[in-house]
């Protein structure tokens, strides 16, 4: 046998297969038997090149004398010849390493029967890289010796599985020949069956309708065969070394089971509730691999739960580290094109198992917990949960509008439940926010505070109390409220209504009065905002919805703008109730409301943010222009940009002027109040 070149970056093992039918047979002898003669031809096989390369290597490592090594190899060769005798061939089968000439005749008779029964013949080639053979003590490049016995054993050990996986008949048989006539040692393996029972397929060949047994073998079975033969050769060639792949596989399996069991123990009840809210009624669809449209959203929730769980789990870090080693090992053995595939497949398999485990836990929940309820919705009140509920409500409403569910009372009921649940979700989220704000306030109270700071503390405590009372009232069923609680709820809802977002038709005289009361309370605190504790200022600004970095003048201006906005909305609501309703006047007032909204947005920005807004508007105008004449375009851009900045500056000056007038009015009111107090004091002294 000639020495084989040592290649680089080649797959350790390559396995290719095809199939031959009686009608399409192309071998030279025009029958199945010809393949036996072809695969065991003398110029390709080497009957006597069968040595225990590992044993030879170990003998060499122990510094055995040269003449003894010659004796050893001679004995090895002599034994083989003695066992094989002159009738031996290079062909091996399921039961023998080297069949005799007589047994070759029997093999050919089997092939005759298979051919008469129009069975399929599967010729395959298993090729090994030289570096792989050397590394695993199967080939010695110095002597040219090759270990055929181990190679045959590895193939024999896995052929029965290949046959079973493809559901071949019990009459299936195979033979193989190891050949050395190319740059790579390779094995021809041929498989057929005497009495085939496979499914038949019909197709057209050369204008005639032909019916043949199905020829394709399962791709997964071929991949598995190649993989297991490779691993067996590594194990046989390195008996004293660890089978690293097996160890990696075992560790991955152990960690995967550990992660699955740990999930069952540590899963949060709220996570299961979130998943339950999104699962379809049909439990047959509750599978992670389901492609049903109704499972798209639940799978997103499952993935989020799994990712959060794995990111915090130390076992998962070990799992990915081991998986990376296994992936590297496999890519080295099976070629660079497979790099990353093991990691991706095993990681996906883990997440699929965890996903199905979550769905199984949902199936095992008590029936009362599976039903969607207001309480079930209200108990899941994160911003994501609220958004998901809102999206579902919009989806169901669209379904009603499209008449898909117009006659479905279940959809109407679900919308009603979700709306009530949404209200309570927001109330619970607000209670959580209030608890955090209250804790911050308590820590601020421990500091040394002055008079105006104490006043703000008192304002915030009262405000938090009112907001908490409002949220608790929202969590109650409307029919369970007393008359006094009804009045309190209506007033507090009006008091805390956002003047910017409240619809015009909701601005009644009572709501307007309540909002004005709130604006007045807030304005009192803004007057005393100078030189106070920065943490207290930040908490107050956050509570009132102001940007913490804007100046006091802008805050006072905002108060005026908010007052004007709610007045405009109330006036528009009143206008709509008049008998001589004017659409033109209504349009004018709507425009005024929009302008006030825009001014409020702008006044709540810092100087830097205003510049960004202005630049964005200029850029938008820039993008809208059509570039015909570049020079003219540049002039238009500069002109429009300057005009926009002038307009913005003019608006800001007007707003500052209004704020200045307001400040003067406030000072006049304060002076009048102080003067009144002095007069009262003088009159008391006069009476004494």
């Amino acid at each position: 046998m000639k020495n084989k070149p040592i290649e680089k970056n080649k797959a350790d093992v390559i396995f290719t297969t095809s199939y031959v039918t009686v009608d399409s047979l192309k071998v030279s002898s025009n029958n199945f038997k010809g393949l036996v003669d072809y695969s065991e031809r003398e110029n390709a096989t080497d009957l006597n090149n069968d040595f225990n390369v590992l044993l030879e290597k170990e003998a060499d490592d122990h510094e055995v004398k040269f003449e003894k090594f010659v004796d050893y190899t001679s004995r090895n060769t002599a034994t083989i010849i003695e066992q094989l005798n002159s009738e031996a061939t290079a062909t091996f089968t399921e039961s023998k390493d080297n069949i005799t000439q007589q047994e070759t005749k029997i093999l050919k008779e089997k092939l005759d029967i298979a051919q008469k029964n129009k069975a399929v013949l599967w010729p395959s080639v298993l090729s090994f890289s030289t570096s792989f053979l050397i590394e695993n003590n199967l080939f010695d490049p110095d002597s040219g010796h090759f270990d055929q016995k181990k190679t045959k054993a590895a193939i024999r050990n896995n052929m029965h599985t290949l046959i079973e996986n493809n559901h071949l008949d019990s009459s299936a048989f195979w033979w193989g020949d190891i050949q050395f006539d190319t740059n790579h040692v390779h094995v021809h393996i041929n498989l057929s069956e005497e009495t085939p029972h496979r499914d038949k397929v019909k197709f057209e060949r050369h204008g005639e309708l032909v019916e043949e047994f199905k020829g394709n073998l399962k791709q997964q079975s071929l991949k598995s065969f190649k993989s297991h033969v490779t691993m067996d050769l590594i194990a046989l060639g390195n008996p004293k070394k660890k089978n690293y792949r097996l160890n990696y596989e075992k560790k991955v399996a152990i960690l995967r089971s550990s992660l699955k069991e740990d999930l069952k123990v540590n899963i949060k009840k709220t996570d299961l509730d979130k998943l339950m809210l999104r699962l379809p009624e049909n439990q047959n669809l509750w599978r992670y691999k389901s492609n049903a449209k109704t499972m798209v959203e639940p799978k997103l929730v499952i993935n989020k739960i799994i990712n959060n769980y794995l990111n915090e789990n130390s076992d998962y870090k070990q799992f990915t580290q081991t998986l990376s080693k296994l992936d590297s090992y496999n890519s080295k053995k099976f070629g660079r094109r497979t790099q990353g595939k093991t990691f991706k497949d095993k990681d996906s398999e883990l997440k699929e198992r965890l996903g199905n485990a979550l769905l199984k836990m949902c199936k095992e929940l008590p029936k009362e917990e599976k039903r969607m309820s207001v309480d079930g919705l209200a108990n899941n009140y994160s911003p994501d949960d609220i958004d998901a509920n809102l999206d579902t409500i919009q989806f169901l409403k669209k379904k009603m509008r499209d008449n898909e569910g117009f006659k479905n009372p279940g959809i109407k009921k679900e919308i009603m439940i979700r709306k009530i649940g949404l209200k309570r979700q927001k109330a619970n989220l607000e209670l959580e926010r209030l608890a955090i704000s209250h804790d911050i306030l308590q820590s601020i109270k421990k500091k040394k505070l002055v008079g105006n700071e104490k006043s703000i503390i008192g304002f915030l405590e009262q405000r938090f109390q009112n907001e908490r009372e409002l949220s608790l009232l929202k969590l109650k069923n409307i029919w369970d409220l007393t008359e006094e609680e009804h009045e309190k709820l209506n007033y507090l809802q009006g008091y805390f209504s956002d003047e910017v977002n409240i619809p015009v038709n909701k601005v009644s005289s009572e709501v307007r009065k309540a909002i004005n009361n709130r604006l007045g309370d807030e304005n009192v605190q803004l007057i005393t905002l100078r030189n106070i504790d920065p943490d207290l200022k930040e908490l107050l600004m956050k509570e009132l919805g102001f940007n913490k970095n804007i100046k006091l003048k802008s805050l006072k201006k905002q108060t005026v703008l908010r007052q004007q906005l709610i007045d405009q909305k109330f006036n528009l609501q009143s206008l709509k109730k008049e008998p001589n309703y004017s659409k033109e006047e209504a349009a004018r007032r709507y425009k005024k409301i929009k302008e006030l909204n825009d001014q409020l947005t702008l006044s709540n920005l810092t100087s830097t943010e205003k510049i960004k807004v202005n630049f964005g508007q200029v850029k938008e105008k820039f993008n809208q222009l059509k570039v015909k004449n570049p020079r003219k375009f540049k002039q238009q851009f500069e002109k429009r940009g300057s005009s926009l900045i002038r307009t913005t500056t003019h608006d800001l000056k007007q707003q500052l002027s209004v704020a200045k007038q307001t400040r003067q009015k406030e000072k006049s009111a304060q002076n009048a109040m102080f003067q009144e107090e002095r007069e009262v004091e003088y009159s008391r002294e006069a009476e004494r």
Side-chain angles (χ1 to χ4, degrees):
M1 174 183 137
K2 62 181 180 180
N3 287 349
K4 304 295 178 183
I6 299 176
E7 62 296 296
K8 293 182 179 179
N9 301 328
K10 297 290 183 182
D12 290 338
V13 180
I14 297 173
F15 182 52
T16 58
T17 189
S18 60
Y19 67 89
V20 178
T21 60
V22 173
D23 293 336
S24 64
L25 195 63
K26 293 180 180 179
V27 292
S28 58
S29 59
N30 202 31
N31 57 39
F32 282 6
K33 291 188 294 185
L35 201 56
V36 177
D37 298 327
Y38 173 79
S39 61
E40 67 175 18
R41 66 194 187 279
E42 289 185 5
N43 65 332
T45 59
D46 188 350
L47 186 63
N48 291 322
N49 188 7
D50 188 3
F51 298 88
N52 191 325
V53 177
L54 175 62
L55 195 58
E56 291 178 352
K57 186 176 180 181
E58 289 177 346
D60 187 49
D61 290 342
H62 286 85
E63 298 182 356
V64 177
K65 289 184 178 181
F66 181 74
E67 58 268 23
K68 290 188 177 180
F69 178 74
V70 173
D71 293 339
Y72 161 74
T73 54
S74 298
R75 284 197 306 274
N76 194 2
T77 307
T79 305
I80 293 171
I81 294 172
E82 184 181 348
Q83 288 175 348
L84 297 181
N85 65 55
S86 59
E87 289 293 314
T89 68
T91 303
F92 68 100
T93 61
E94 185 178 8
S95 57
K96 284 193 173 185
D97 276 353
N98 299 88
I99 63 174
T100 63
Q101 296 288 348
Q102 183 61 33
E103 288 167 334
T104 302
K105 291 180 181 178
I106 296 172
L107 174 61
K108 290 181 178 181
E109 288 172 2
K110 283 186 176 183
L111 286 168
D112 276 338
I113 295 171
Q115 189 168 354
K116 287 176 184 176
N117 291 330
K118 293 193 174 183
V120 180
L121 177 67
W122 289 276
S124 307
V125 177
L126 191 66
S127 179
F128 308 104
S129 74
T130 305
S131 59
F132 171 77
L133 297 175
I134 295 171
E135 181 185 341
N136 293 287
N137 303 310
L138 298 169
F139 172 64
D140 180 6
D142 296 328
S143 64
H145 291 173
F146 181 80
D147 196 331
Q148 294 193 39
K149 279 187 169 56
K150 289 188 177 70
T151 308
K152 293 173 181 178
I155 294 170
R156 183 181 292 117
N157 188 44
N158 293 284
M159 277 303 296
H160 69 281
T161 306
L162 179 65
I163 291 170
E164 287 177 3
N165 287 341
N166 286 281
H167 308 294
L168 295 178
D169 189 74
S170 57
S171 64
F173 63 97
W174 63 271
W175 78 96
D177 290 278
I178 300 175
Q179 297 189 357
F180 305 94
D181 58 335
T182 64
N183 285 337
H184 296 87
V185 177
H186 58 282
V187 185
H188 284 268
I189 305 169
N190 302 279
L191 170 67
S192 189
E193 50 186 346
E194 291 181 81
T195 53
H197 290 88
R198 291 171 65 79
D199 294 335
K200 288 189 175 183
V201 290
K202 292 181 180 180
F203 59 92
E204 188 176 327
R205 177 188 287 155
H206 304 306
E208 295 183 3
L209 186 64
V210 180
E211 184 178 52
E212 293 180 348
F213 288 106
K214 191 174 181 181
N216 289 326
L217 298 177
K218 294 180 181 177
Q219 285 298 314
Q220 189 57 43
S221 70
L222 301 176
K223 289 179 181 178
S224 178
F225 174 77
K226 170 188 163 183
S227 174
H228 283 87
V229 168
T230 305
M231 291 306 110
D232 284 352
L233 287 172
I234 292 170
L236 290 168
N238 296 286
K240 294 183 179 179
K241 295 182 180 180
K242 292 182 179 179
N243 188 340
Y244 294 110
R245 181 177 185 272
L246 184 60
N247 289 339
Y248 293 148
E249 290 275 13
K250 286 180 179 178
K251 191 171 182 180
V252 164
I254 291 169
L255 288 169
R256 184 175 58 211
S257 298
S258 174
L259 286 165
K260 184 178 175 182
E261 294 304 315
D262 188 50
L263 176 69
K264 294 178 182 178
V265 175
N266 296 313
I267 184 67
K268 297 175 183 176
K269 178 64 167 57
T270 52
D271 284 339
L272 282 183
D273 290 339
K274 290 174 187 176
L275 180 54
M276 277 302 307
L277 288 172
R278 291 159 176 81
L279 285 171
E281 290 185 16
N282 185 359
Q283 292 191 26
N284 292 329
L285 299 176
W286 292 14
R287 291 175 288 103
Y288 186 79
K289 283 288 187 179
S290 172
N291 292 320
K293 288 183 179 180
T294 51
M295 283 298 293
V296 173
E297 188 182 358
K299 282 167 72 174
L300 292 175
V301 177
I302 290 172
N303 290 337
K304 187 173 182 180
I305 293 171
I306 289 173
N307 289 335
N308 290 338
Y309 164 69
L310 293 178
N311 288 340
E312 300 171 358
N313 199 301
S314 58
D315 279 352
Y316 183 62
K317 291 180 181 178
Q318 291 185 42
F319 178 84
T320 54
Q321 289 169 359
T322 308
L323 212 49
S324 296
K325 293 177 182 177
L326 178 60
D327 185 86
S328 177
Y329 187 90
N330 283 345
S331 62
K332 182 182 177 184
K333 297 301 171 192
F334 304 115
R336 285 188 172 182
R337 286 185 297 177
T338 64
Q339 189 169 2
K341 188 177 185 304
T342 301
F343 189 99
K344 182 181 177 181
D345 291 348
K346 295 284 185 183
D347 192 55
S348 298
E349 182 186 353
L350 168 69
K351 290 174 180 176
E352 180 184 350
R353 292 192 182 198
L354 294 178
N356 285 326
L358 285 172
L359 292 168
K360 185 178 179 182
M361 283 186 268
C362 288
K363 286 182 179 180
E364 293 171 352
L365 286 172
K367 287 184 179 180
E368 58 272 14
E369 291 188 34
K370 290 183 184 179
R371 289 195 298 268
M372 188 192 67
S373 64
V374 171
D375 290 338
L377 288 163
N379 290 334
N380 298 283
Y381 50 85
S382 71
D384 288 342
D385 294 323
I386 293 174
D387 289 342
N389 193 17
L390 272 169
D391 291 343
T392 305
I393 291 171
Q394 294 303 320
F395 170 76
L396 293 173
K397 283 183 175 179
K398 183 178 182 300
K399 198 170 183 179
M400 293 285 286
R401 287 195 300 271
D402 296 342
N403 291 325
E404 292 181 29
F406 184 72
K407 296 181 180 180
N408 189 339
I411 293 180
K412 291 183 179 180
K413 183 180 179 181
E414 184 175 348
I415 291 175
M416 181 187 71
I417 291 172
R418 286 188 176 278
K419 281 185 174 180
I420 299 172
L422 179 64
K423 180 180 176 183
R424 297 190 183 181
Q425 281 178 313
K426 291 180 177 179
N428 278 325
L429 185 62
E430 179 66 7
L431 285 172
E432 189 175 88
R433 183 194 71 80
L434 287 170
I436 295 170
S437 299
H438 185 266
D439 290 342
I440 296 172
L441 187 62
Q442 294 306 308
S443 63
I444 294 172
K445 285 174 68 176
K446 295 176 182 178
K447 300 179 181 180
K448 190 175 181 180
L449 304 173
V450 296
N452 59 335
E453 291 174 330
K454 291 180 180 178
S455 172
I456 293 173
I457 290 283
F459 166 77
L460 287 173
E461 285 183 330
Q462 183 60 47
R463 187 179 177 99
F464 291 158
Q465 182 180 340
N466 288 338
E467 287 179 310
R468 187 173 185 277
E469 187 175 356
L470 173 61
S471 296
L472 291 173
L473 287 171
K474 286 181 178 180
L475 289 174
K476 289 186 176 182
N477 294 320
I478 195 74
W479 53 85
D480 292 334
L481 297 177
T482 64
E483 187 176 346
E484 183 181 352
E485 286 175 331
H486 266 294
E487 292 178 2
K488 186 73 172 177
L489 175 63
N490 290 334
Y491 176 76
L492 289 175
Q493 281 181 325
Y495 184 88
F496 288 109
S497 292
D498 181 5
E499 58 279 352
V500 175
N501 295 319
I502 187 172
V504 172
N505 61 350
K506 297 290 184 181
V507 185
S508 63
S509 58
E510 292 80 9
V511 171
R512 179 196 185 194
K513 183 178 179 181
I515 292 176
N516 282 333
N517 288 342
R518 174 174 59 79
L519 292 173
D521 294 339
E522 292 174 359
N523 193 38
V524 170
Q525 305 308 317
L526 294 176
I527 294 172
T528 61
L529 203 57
R530 293 184 184 277
N531 302 321
I532 67 166
D533 180 82
D535 292 335
L536 181 59
K537 180 181 177 181
E538 183 178 351
L539 182 61
L540 177 65
M541 299 287 273
K542 185 178 180 182
E543 175 61 30
L544 301 185
F546 292 124
N547 188 321
K548 66 178 182 180
N549 295 318
I550 63 174
K551 297 180 180 180
L552 183 60
K553 289 181 180 179
S554 296
L555 288 175
K556 292 179 179 177
K557 182 182 71 174
Q558 280 208 50
T559 304
V560 174
L561 290 172
R562 291 186 181 201
Q563 181 71 58
Q564 292 175 357
L565 180 61
I566 198 63
D567 287 344
Q568 284 291 338
K569 287 188 174 182
F570 175 74
N571 292 337
L572 179 57
Q573 170 70 353
S574 302
L575 176 67
K576 288 183 175 181
K577 294 179 181 179
E578 293 178 2
N580 299 323
Y581 172 64
S582 169
K583 291 185 178 180
E584 291 76 12
E585 177 63 18
R588 189 186 67 79
R589 295 191 184 186
Y590 268 119
K591 184 178 179 182
K592 180 64 177 176
I593 289 170
K594 185 181 183 305
E595 289 174 356
L596 288 169
N597 272 331
D598 293 342
Q599 289 181 39
L600 269 171
T601 302
L602 193 63
S603 64
N604 198 25
L605 301 176
T606 62
S607 300
T608 305
E609 290 170 336
K610 287 175 185 175
I611 291 171
K612 287 182 180 178
V613 170
N614 292 335
F615 180 76
Q617 292 175 344
V618 172
K619 189 175 180 181
E620 185 179 351
K621 293 286 185 182
F622 179 87
N623 292 333
Q624 291 173 355
L625 295 173
K626 293 182 178 179
V627 183
K628 294 180 180 178
N629 186 327
R631 187 174 178 182
K632 186 178 179 181
F633 171 74
K634 184 179 179 182
Q635 292 174 350
Q636 288 178 335
F637 170 69
E638 291 174 350
K639 184 178 178 181
R640 294 194 181 198
S642 301
S643 175
L644 183 59
I645 292 172
R646 282 198 303 272
T647 303
T648 306
T649 305
H650 176 71
D651 291 343
L652 288 172
K653 286 181 178 179
Q654 281 190 327
Q655 293 165 15
L656 290 172
S657 177
V658 172
K660 187 175 181 180
Q661 292 174 10
T662 304
R663 184 180 178 188
Q664 289 174 350
K665 288 179 182 179
E666 289 172 355
K667 282 186 176 179
S668 299
Q670 285 180 351
N671 291 334
M673 183 177 66
F674 293 148
Q675 185 63 34
E676 185 179 349
E677 288 178 355
R678 290 193 191 98
E679 290 177 359
V680 171
E681 192 65 32
Y682 289 151
S683 61
R684 287 177 181 172
E685 289 180 359
E687 289 176 0
R688 292 174 186 167

